[in-house]
Amino acid sequence: MSLLLDVADLSVSFRSGRGRVPALRGVSLSVKKGQTLGVVGESGCGKSLTALAVMGLLPVPDSGIDGGSIMLRTGGSESDLTKTNSARRHRGKDMAMIFQEPMTALNPSFTIGEQIGEVLRRHEHLGRQAAQERSIDLLRSVGIPAPESRIKLYPHELSGGMRQRAMIAIAIACAPALLIADEPTTALDVTIQAQVLDLLRSLQSQLGTGILFITHDMGVIAEMADEVAVMYLGTVVEKGPTASILERPAHPYTQGLIRSVPTIEMSRELRLTPIAGSVPSLSRAPSGCRFNTRCPHAFEKCREQEPPMHVLDGSQQAACWLAGEL
């Protein structure tokens, strides 16, 4: 599989009253054409921020990219999305994003049809009538019944599942090579979640789209992702093939995430093992390994030196001094 997205050593910081606060430090991950990279971690670990950096949607002037590169390879050419206006040229056509909450991402002042049509008129240069007909086809392709009438509705007139499908229709309107799905099943009931995941898999097989799938749900990772990147406090602490990481997690944080998920095989007497403590503030990030304040295996070296990525069997990597020993 050829590489579609290559994020290398990405660092992002925010401006605060205490100066610049690093939010992402040395993030490296990649997405291949036709495959799914799952990005997993607790809230506040930098998953959505990484996606916004890729899309060129970081809030300005309060944030900025301090280093690294974001290379997008489409149509036989390569673009560094950290360069001025580079992401803007590709956004909507070559890459698109399904936002976490469609009710706030969709514009309440315009109908669903108008919002899909805007993308088609801007990037495909379609006329109003052609854009409307294509919008109806897109709503039908994402499983919305009676699209001819639903296209005239406003976001508040649709159910949560319908709004999420409408968001997906907008995102795939121009058949982008890269699709970023930021927790697209959050706040949906389990049956609608399953339908949305099935829809994304179907669209990927039809269009050959590479997907960067952000979630905190390890069950969804097991179902959707070919590869996984585990993030903690603005860094990638483990990455590799999904099967390897789920069967043999090497980083204590990844192990904690997996142990905290209930399974059907668990007996009623067996209690889940949560990760102790909470994610520290970015402005007070611990020295050394960022997970050392919550890690049951931490020792002196963990508090003094930040571990590099250790390459384990195959392509699995973990940033832990005890990688391969736990």
Side-chain angles (χ1 to χ4, degrees):
M1 289 285 180
S2 57
L3 207 57
L4 173 63
L5 176 71
D6 186 18
V7 179
D9 204 25
L10 177 67
S11 295
V12 172
S13 64
F14 281 86
R15 184 174 62 184
S16 73
R18 301 178 181 178
R20 303 296 294 187
V21 176
L24 298 179
R25 285 203 326 177
V27 171
S28 296
L29 48 82
S30 60
V31 180
K32 299 181 179 70
K33 291 181 180 179
Q35 292 196 346
T36 298
L37 171 71
V39 181
V40 66
E42 294 168 282
S43 297
C45 286
K47 306 185 300 297
S48 296
L49 186 60
T50 301
L52 292 176
V54 172
M55 293 293 294
L57 295 175
L58 290 173
V60 291
D62 294 325
S63 67
I65 294 176
D66 300 323
S69 62
I70 307 172
M71 307 305 297
L72 180 69
R73 299 182 175 98
T74 58
S77 62
E78 182 178 78
S79 299
D80 187 347
L81 302 183
T82 64
K83 305 303 181 184
T84 304
N85 290 329
S86 179
R88 185 176 182 179
R89 290 196 299 270
H90 293 280
R91 193 166 58 233
K93 183 172 180 61
D94 298 315
M95 61 180 184
M97 185 168 176
I98 304 169
F99 293 93
Q100 186 170 345
E101 177 45 66
M103 194 60 188
T104 55
L106 294 170
N107 192 322
S109 303
F110 295 93
T111 65
I112 295 301
E114 289 171 325
Q115 295 185 61
I116 302 175
E118 180 184 8
V119 178
L120 295 168
R121 291 195 298 273
R122 178 181 178 84
H123 295 291
E124 301 293 334
H125 309 294
L126 299 183
R128 185 169 296 274
Q129 183 62 37
Q132 179 173 322
E133 293 174 0
R134 175 65 179 141
S135 298
I136 291 172
D137 291 339
L138 283 164
L139 289 182
R140 185 179 291 112
S141 73
V142 297
I144 292 183
E148 296 84 0
S149 59
R150 295 275 163 65
I151 202 171
K152 302 172 185 176
L153 299 181
Y154 291 86
H156 72 272
E157 297 178 289
L158 298 175
S159 67
M162 290 283 191
R163 283 194 294 268
Q164 193 62 279
R165 289 172 184 270
M167 275 287 300
I168 294 173
I170 294 172
I172 66 169
C174 298
L178 173 67
L179 182 63
I180 299 177
D182 187 3
E183 302 198 33
T185 58
T186 297
L188 300 178
D189 63 57
V190 291
T191 55
I192 302 300
Q193 285 185 32
Q195 292 172 12
V196 170
L197 296 180
D198 286 342
L199 174 60
L200 290 175
R201 278 194 296 265
S202 174
L203 293 171
Q204 184 177 48
S205 65
Q206 294 173 28
L207 304 175
T209 305
I211 298 178
L212 193 157
F213 195 102
I214 297 170
T215 182
H216 59 268
D217 189 333
M218 295 300 288
V220 172
I221 286 292
E223 185 175 353
M224 287 292 296
D226 299 291
E227 296 185 345
V228 182
V230 182
M231 292 192 69
Y232 182 77
L233 202 59
T235 64
V236 176
V237 297
E238 186 166 5
K239 58 184 176 181
T242 302
S244 297
I245 287 181
L246 291 181
E247 293 172 8
R248 299 179 301 278
H251 196 282
Y253 181 61
T254 311
Q255 294 170 357
L257 290 176
I258 293 173
R259 282 197 301 265
S260 63
V261 178
T263 63
I264 296 176
E265 293 80 13
M266 290 176 63
S267 66
R268 297 180 63 179
E269 293 76 22
L270 187 63
R271 298 181 64 85
L272 296 176
T273 307
I275 301 173
S278 58
V279 181
S281 167
L282 286 168
S283 60
R284 293 188 294 273
S287 58
C289 174
R290 291 193 158 196
F291 189 57
N292 78 74
T293 56
R294 305 173 67 191
C295 180
H297 308 286
F299 60 106
E300 194 61 29
K301 190 175 184 179
C302 302
R303 290 180 277 271
E304 296 175 349
Q305 300 179 40
E306 185 172 4
M309 275 286 186
H310 291 89
V311 179
L312 307 174
D313 294 338
S315 56
Q316 186 175 351
Q317 303 176 51
C320 177
W321 292 114
L322 299 175
E325 299 178 22
L326 299 177

